[in-house]
Amino acid sequence: MIKIKGLSFYRGGRTIFEGVDLTLHSQKKIGIVGKNGCGKTTLFKLLLNELYPSHGEIDYSPNLTFSHLEQELPNTNCMAVEYVVQGDQEFAAIEDQLLEAEVEEDNDKIIKLHMKIADIDGYTIRSRAAKILSGLGFSTEEQNKAVNHFSGGWKMRLNLARTLMSRADLLLLDEPTNHLDLDAILWLEQWLIGYKSTLLIISHDRDFLDKVTNQILHIHDETMAIYEGNYSSFESQRAEQLALQQMQHEKQQKKITHMLKYVERFRYKASKARQAQSRLKAIERMPLIEAVQQETPYHFDFKEPVKVGNPLVNLEKVVVGYKDKIIFSWLNLQLRMGQRIGLIGPNGAGKSTLIKLMVGDLSLNSGKRFVTDKKHIGYFAQYQLDLLDHEQTAMEHMRDLAPDKSERDLQRYLGTFGFSRDLALTATGKCSGGEKARLILAMIIWQRPAMLLLDEPTNHLDMEMRNALMLALQNFTGTLVVVSHDRHLLRSVSDELWLVADGEVTPFDGDLTDYRKWLFSRKS
């Protein structure tokens, strides 16, 4: 389907790819992985001819059609369902021609165009669009609202729905789960499993990649390699490769050391000088096997939390909501030190509302609430990224928290979250979403919270940072409440699941697989 031949790409004096040869076969579902900045999105732009190779070429099968997830937010008052229908470009073109033919009263043309619509199953297109929108969390009422009615995150869902409507040969999805909750991810997962054409997908969600993909394309050290199987299979294969590489490196280093000892011993002895010189030349010609480098720049942990009494949160007969919509009525709930809770539940059921109740940020309609001192709570929510002072650097934010610490100590700490000195001294307004999220987490962890309330903490984080956060949370000894669409994180850090649904919060008797069954049975 696609052949990449000798591809090199340079940008701003930096080599992104060098001499890549690769074949992407049709009807494969390929996950694109690699550390941030390695060139995943650049590869998509090269495939879409938005960028061009510095050297080499990309060959495509004849008449290959593409569809990709637009990152630019739409600006239109078109109805949501009609915006999504237009994702089928062939249908949209036929419909435009049909309108013209009806104005011209060209009956022969009208009949032919109706036949074309039938051939591409166009008469069911709006019901198919509605089904996709419903799966992505849009109610029937919302499907008939103008696109500009929706927030940025929901506009991205509309872009995704529009992309899924395409009947292209190749579908390119760049981080499609970033703006989705767990319900929508589970639906998208099922949809992509049933997708018949070729799929290229960039994602940091390992569970999602495991379910959807059957090949992994790994971008590393300016080149690419294809691995058969899903992400877990790739991880296993990659670990074996690295272990073998390290073993071969150590073996080679022993050989080189032995040869150098011979050279040092005999290079000045006339009878052995030629042999010593021969060994030196052999070492020079030897293709060196590199030592395996630790890939993740993140190495942090939680300090022992401050001591607080129990309970940390106590809600009695709480009624709360927004405007005229009640989310919880007569809610009774208690959180104690050491509990580790994952919140699950349908979209809009109140998971984020419950977190805000626990942190004390939401006024009650009625009832009683006790929350431990706010200074003992570490609270992460997506909106906090915008609360950072965009004129201040990461170092200045940390200095505000710890004025008695030296810049060296603070730089060392920020370095464990992937902040080089240059990045630590860059205004946060110029930082990426992932860098801002890492700074927020660094600031929270510094304060030794007794209770962590995390609302979708992984949205902007790459695979390495997600893994580092998971390991740190596993060792956290305080109280943890987390909402996340990252099932691997949720499964790894929570001891119990609480279901938020129908105005209630109840312990969930089961795991995330059981929750998936519960959710789909509820929708059927």
Side-chain angles (χ1 to χ4, degrees), residues 130-235:
K131 202 173 207 180
I132 290 173
L133 284 167
S134 176
L136 292 175
F138 292 86
S139 66
T140 303
E141 181 186 357
E142 287 171 330
Q143 292 172 26
N144 294 306
K145 288 185 175 178
V147 169
N148 282 342
H149 163 83
F150 297 98
S151 66
W154 285 91
K155 282 184 175 181
M156 281 303 299
R157 292 195 191 206
L158 289 173
N159 276 354
L160 176 58
R162 183 181 170 110
T163 306
L164 299 182
M165 281 301 296
S166 167
R167 288 177 294 107
D169 303 312
L170 177 62
L171 186 61
L172 293 92
L173 300 179
D174 190 348
E175 295 287 3
T177 63
N178 262 7
H179 298 278
L180 303 183
D181 53 29
L182 183 54
D183 302 16
I185 288 174
L186 291 171
W187 177 87
L188 178 61
E189 197 173 81
Q190 284 300 112
W191 193 95
L192 291 174
I193 288 170
Y195 182 66
K196 302 299 183 187
S197 297
T198 307
L199 171 68
L200 289 180
I201 185 164
I202 298 170
S203 177
H204 294 300
D205 186 330
R206 58 190 300 151
D207 273 41
F208 185 73
L209 288 173
D210 266 351
K211 288 288 195 299
V212 171
T213 63
N214 50 34
Q215 281 187 340
I216 295 294
L217 190 159
H218 182 220
I219 302 178
H220 179 70
D221 283 348
E222 302 167 4
T223 190
M224 310 177 204
I226 289 278
Y227 293 77
E228 291 297 326
N230 61 13
Y231 184 80
S232 290
S233 175
F234 153 74
E235 225 178 16

Side-chain angles (χ1 to χ4, degrees), residues 8-129:
S8 296
F9 183 75
Y10 316 122
R11 182 169 55 199
R14 180 181 164 223
T15 300
I16 308 298
F17 302 123
E18 185 69 66
V20 175
D21 293 299
L22 199 71
T23 301
L24 304 178
H25 294 286
S26 61
Q27 296 185 318
K28 289 290 185 180
K29 294 174 182 175
I30 305 167
I32 317 291
V33 301
K35 64 183 181 182
N36 274 4
C38 69
K40 299 186 291 293
T41 300
T42 298
L43 173 61
F44 272 22
K45 289 182 176 180
L46 286 164
L47 293 174
L48 293 165
N49 290 322
E50 293 177 9
L51 294 173
Y52 298 96
S54 304
H55 299 292
E57 59 184 2
I58 303 175
D59 289 341
Y60 305 90
S61 298
N63 304 316
L64 184 70
T65 56
F66 293 77
S67 181
H68 70 285
L69 176 57
E70 291 282 358
Q71 299 299 317
E72 187 175 335
L73 297 178
N75 180 19
T76 174
N77 283 315
C78 170
M79 275 199 314
V81 70
E82 294 303 321
Y83 178 75
V84 171
V85 163
Q86 290 164 17
D88 189 329
Q89 295 180 2
E90 185 178 0
F91 174 82
I94 294 172
E95 199 167 49
D96 287 344
Q97 293 169 32
L98 185 59
L99 287 172
E100 290 177 10
E102 287 172 346
V103 169
E104 295 166 0
E105 298 183 353
D106 186 338
N107 290 330
D108 287 343
K109 191 175 180 181
I110 290 170
I111 291 169
K112 288 177 182 177
L113 289 169
H114 275 292
M115 290 173 66
K116 281 187 178 181
I117 290 173
D119 287 342
I120 63 171
D121 198 19
Y123 292 112
T124 66
I125 194 166
R126 283 176 175 81
S127 64
R128 285 186 281 124

Side-chain angles (χ1 to χ4, degrees), residues 154 181 183 322 325-327 345-353 500-502:
W154 285 91
D181 53 29
D183 302 16
Y322 305 95
K325 183 181 179 183
I326 296 298
I327 305 297
N347 179 42
K351 298 184 292 295
S352 293
T353 300
V500 182
D502 304 320

Side-chain angles (χ1 to χ4, degrees), residues 393-412:
T393 66
M395 179 63 73
E396 288 168 334
H397 279 93
M398 285 303 303
R399 199 180 291 129
D400 289 345
L401 276 183
D404 58 325
K405 293 293 180 181
S406 70
E407 186 164 316
R408 185 178 179 181
D409 286 342
L410 295 178
Q411 179 58 64
R412 189 181 297 118

Side-chain angles (χ1 to χ4, degrees), residues 351-523:
K351 298 184 292 295
S352 293
T353 300
L354 182 57
I355 292 273
K356 289 175 184 175
L357 271 176
M358 290 176 176
V359 82
D361 273 2
L362 204 59
S363 298
L364 308 185
N365 293 31
S366 63
K368 293 181 181 179
R369 168 176 55 195
F370 166 79
V371 176
T372 192
D373 194 318
K374 214 164 186 176
K375 68 183 181 184
H376 301 318
I377 300 174
Y379 175 41
F380 181 99
Q382 289 304 306
Y383 73 83
Q384 288 177 303
L385 274 62
D386 297 322
L387 297 183
L388 291 169
D389 185 334
H390 287 188
E391 299 299 318
Q392 280 194 317
T393 66
M395 179 63 73
E396 288 168 334
H397 279 93
M398 285 303 303
R399 199 180 291 129
D400 289 345
L401 276 183
D404 58 325
K405 293 293 180 181
S406 70
E407 186 164 316
R408 185 178 179 181
D409 286 342
L410 295 178
Q411 179 58 64
R412 189 181 297 118
Y413 177 72
L414 283 170
T416 66
F417 290 83
F419 283 86
S420 65
R421 179 168 177 79
D422 286 346
L423 184 56
L425 298 177
T426 300
T428 56
K430 296 180 180 178
C431 291
S432 69
E435 289 159 353
K436 291 175 186 175
R438 297 203 310 266
L439 176 57
I440 294 284
L441 286 167
M443 293 167 68
I444 289 172
I445 291 169
W446 180 271
Q447 296 172 80
R448 296 177 57 204
M451 179 166 66
L452 272 176
L453 303 175
L454 306 179
D455 192 355
E456 294 293 0
T458 65
N459 269 4
H460 296 280
L461 304 183
D462 61 20
M463 200 86 77
E464 289 79 13
M465 181 59 187
R466 290 184 185 206
N467 191 56
L469 178 61
M470 177 196 75
L471 293 173
L473 288 174
Q474 286 175 341
N475 293 322
F476 177 61
T477 58
T479 298
L480 172 67
V481 181
V482 59
V483 177
S484 179
H485 64 245
D486 187 323
R487 284 160 287 173
H488 184 68
L489 178 81
L490 206 55
R491 191 183 301 114
S492 300
V493 304
S494 57
D495 293 335
E496 51 185 316
L497 297 175
W498 286 4
L499 178 65
V500 182
D502 304 320
E504 297 181 349
V505 181
T506 55
F508 184 73
D509 184 18
D511 57 17
L512 289 173
T513 301
D514 297 314
Y515 171 66
R516 181 177 177 278
K517 292 174 184 175
W518 176 88
L519 191 66
F520 284 172
S521 67
R522 180 183 172 96
K523 289 183 176 180

